[in-house]
Amino acid sequence: MVHTRSALRRLSTVLKNELIDDVSNKVLSMQISDSLTAFINYEKTKDGTYHLIHSEVPQEVQGLGYGHILVKETFDYIAANNYKMSISCRFIKRVYEEHKHDYKQYYVETK
C-alpha cells in the first residue's frame, strides 16, 4: 500500500507518543492508542549499529499506515543521533527503499 505524505502526516498526529527506545528490551515502539502499540525489535552490534529485525503493528490497525510511520520515525531517530542501521525485516527494507535518498548514509549492508 502506498501512502501519500499528507495522509501519513495526518496519521502521525493521532499517535499518542513519540518513538521510545527501550534499550533493555531492544525494542523501538510507538503507542498508537491507549491499548495499541507498534514496535520494532532490534539488536545492537558492538559498533553501535541498530540491526532492525522485526516490525509489528497490532492487527486492528494493520494496513492503515502505522507501520510506515513507525519505520520512518525509527529512521529519523537513527539519523538524528547519527547512528547506523542494518535491516533484515522485509517490511522495514521496503520502506527504506522508498526513502533511500534520505537515509542511505545511515545504512550498512548486513553480511
Side-chain angles (χ1 to χ4, degrees):
M1 177 184 292
V2 176
H3 301 282
T4 65
R5 288 182 185 194
S6 62
L8 289 174
R9 262 189 246 111
R10 283 192 305 273
L11 277 176
S12 67
T13 62
V14 301
L15 293 174
K16 290 287 190 179
N17 293 309
E18 299 291 319
L19 185 75
I20 297 169
D21 186 357
D22 181 350
V23 177
S24 62
N25 291 310
K26 300 176 186 171
V27 174
L28 295 157
S29 64
M30 288 185 96
Q31 190 171 355
I32 296 169
S33 70
D34 290 339
S35 61
L36 301 174
T37 302
F39 64 89
I40 292 176
N41 296 106
Y42 69 86
E43 290 290 330
K44 209 162 183 187
T45 64
K46 289 181 184 180
D47 68 357
T49 298
Y50 278 71
H51 179 66
L52 307 176
I53 299 167
H54 172 76
S55 61
E56 193 166 316
V57 173
Q59 186 173 358
E60 300 91 328
V61 293
Q62 286 180 1
L64 299 178
Y66 291 107
H68 193 102
I69 293 168
L70 171 67
V71 173
K72 280 278 285 132
E73 289 293 323
T74 297
F75 292 168
D76 288 344
Y77 171 75
I78 287 169
N81 290 287
N82 205 31
Y83 296 143
K84 296 290 183 189
M85 66 177 162
S86 61
I87 303 167
S88 60
C89 172
R90 287 185 305 216
F91 177 75
I92 297 172
K93 183 73 167 187
R94 191 172 75 226
V95 175
Y96 171 75
E97 291 299 328
E98 292 173 18
H99 301 281
K100 189 180 219 172
H101 59 280
D102 294 326
Y103 303 104
K104 64 184 171 188
Q105 72 246 38
Y106 306 103
Y107 178 76
V108 293
E109 196 71 42
T110 53
K111 297 176 184 176

